[in-house]
Amino acid sequence: MTYARILGTGSFLPARVVTNADLASTVDTSDEWVVSRTGIRERRIAGPGETTCDLAERAARQALDASGCLASEIDLVIVATTTPDRVFPGTACLLQERLGIHGPAAFDVQAVCTGFVYALTIAEKFIRAGGTKRALVVGAETMSRIVDWNDRSTCVLFGDGAGAVVVGASNEPGILSSHLHADGAYKELLTVSTGVSERGPATGRITMRGNEVFRMAVTTLDALVGETLAANNMKQTDIRWLVPHQANIRIIAATAKRLGMAMDQVIVTVDRHGNTSAASIPLAFDSGVRDGRIQRGDVVLMEAFGGGLTWGSVLLRY
Ligand code: UT7
């Protein structure tokens, strides 16, 4: 039996830090409101001309180093992003060229904040089906480019960054199960309403009915966690680490409570990164691996919820 295992991780954040106090000088908000409602204290914002592919490349190179794989050994590249450099070619093709990989399949996945969970699941299916031996899976975003910086209800939430993993074929189980969902009936709750086919090549801005998204996220993730445990015949106590999508500390805490997990079993980066959409889980996962909390053999639950609406989980043994 061939399984898919994570061989190495990497991440990258742009240099510029924007604090809540910085935002309070441009919109009617306060550090107290943002911290108490979201847990976010600061976020990173890409510099002028710094693109999603620039961030993805730095994270990918780190993941390749950590995995011990050469770029030439990668036979599948998937980039999860909502903020591609161009309409086309896909960011995965741009990244492939930067890394000197020529020939194997490369494509983007657009599932907003659930994008990395979708991309990792697709890579796992390629590997388990045979043929693909080593996949590079990246979540990378420059959300700052689609944020409405005059809208205090959304501009305080998002940040830029990238995270990456190299996934390889293995005789040992790595990814144990994945569970993907979507329901387009909720498309208007969280959206960028202007797109190339609807209105031409103008870029829209994020709008969100935050309160409704919040309620949907808590109930949906509750059911998703139950689905994931049942599919693996596992108990809550079998999970060592929760690596959630980093949108709001209150949503994260509700999921941890559902799992009976203390917050010191949860990898939290939302305070420093804000919501980096598809990049948030691989960024958090890499931070837990690099600081030594997540160890080889640990059972890790990744879960995400975002625009679409989309939601999904991956349960894995690291
Ligand atoms: O990653 C994809 C998934 N996304 C999410 O999961 C996000 C889910 N939603 C949330 O995290 C929360 O709904 C928010 C953090 C976005 C908002 O928190 P909330 O507790 O749901 O606040 P609210 O939207 O109900 O707004 C409460 C009040 C409103 O004022 P009134 O109408 O009560 O007078 C807002 O106008 O807070 C006001 N408000 C703000 N005040 C200061 C909204 N944004 C701000 C702000 N600063 N930045």
Side-chain angles (χ1 to χ4, degrees), residues 146-174:
I146 54 168
V147 162
D148 177 351
W149 289 103
N150 297 313
D151 176 6
R152 71 175 182 172
S153 70
T154 52
C155 76
V156 299
L157 303 176
F158 294 95
D160 300 336
V165 296
V166 174
V167 190
S170 164
N171 296 326
E172 305 280 316

Side-chain angles (χ1 to χ4, degrees), residues 6 116-118 120-121 174-180 224 228 243 300-304 312-316:
I6 293 183
F116 182 78
V117 167
Y118 270 64
L120 189 56
T121 301
I175 292 172
L176 303 171
S177 79
S178 57
H179 307 269
L180 304 183
L224 181 67
T228 310
V243 183
V300 177
L301 175 62
M302 299 173 172
E303 48 80 357
S313 65
V314 168
L315 188 76
L316 61 89

Side-chain angles (χ1 to χ4, degrees), residues 82-217:
T82 311
T83 49
D85 287 31
R86 302 179 181 184
V87 172
F88 74 85
T91 307
C93 294
L94 305 181
L95 176 63
Q96 199 195 35
E97 194 258 336
R98 300 260 190 107
L99 297 173
I101 302 170
H102 302 283
F107 56 88
D108 291 2
V109 167
Q110 161 49 311
V112 204
C113 301
T114 319
F116 182 78
V117 167
Y118 270 64
L120 189 56
T121 301
I122 294 165
E124 190 236 353
K125 306 292 182 213
F126 268 76
I127 288 170
R128 289 188 71 145
T132 299
K133 294 274 181 272
R134 288 184 182 85
L136 173 64
V137 183
V138 183
E141 302 278 18
T142 44
M143 297 302 282
S144 59
R145 304 272 154 73
I146 54 168
V147 162
D148 177 351
W149 289 103
N150 297 313
D151 176 6
R152 71 175 182 172
S153 70
T154 52
C155 76
V156 299
L157 303 176
F158 294 95
D160 300 336
V165 296
V166 174
V167 190
S170 164
N171 296 326
E172 305 280 316
I175 292 172
L176 303 171
S177 79
S178 57
H179 307 269
L180 304 183
H181 298 279
D183 191 344
Y186 297 99
K187 63 184 184 296
E188 300 301 348
L189 294 191
L190 174 52
T191 184
V192 170
S193 56
T194 312
V196 289
S197 187
E198 278 185 359
R199 295 202 212 146
T203 308
R205 295 286 181 269
I206 297 171
T207 61
M208 175 164 67
R209 299 195 331 231
N211 213 277
E212 289 170 67
V213 174
F214 186 97
R215 285 199 303 270
M216 283 285 294

Side-chain angles (χ1 to χ4, degrees), residues 9-66:
T9 67
S11 63
F12 183 73
L13 291 162
R16 186 175 158 223
V17 176
V18 174
T19 65
N20 295 337
D22 294 332
L23 293 176
S25 67
T26 56
V27 290
D28 182 15
T29 191
S30 65
D31 181 57
E32 193 280 328
W33 191 95
V34 181
V35 172
S36 64
R37 298 292 177 120
T38 71
I40 299 168
R41 293 180 183 278
E42 61 187 39
R43 70 287 293 144
R44 301 295 185 97
I45 300 295
E50 191 174 32
T51 70
T52 293
C53 191
D54 293 330
L55 309 183
E57 181 185 354
R58 300 286 289 267
R61 288 192 187 281
Q62 211 180 58
L64 284 167
D65 281 350

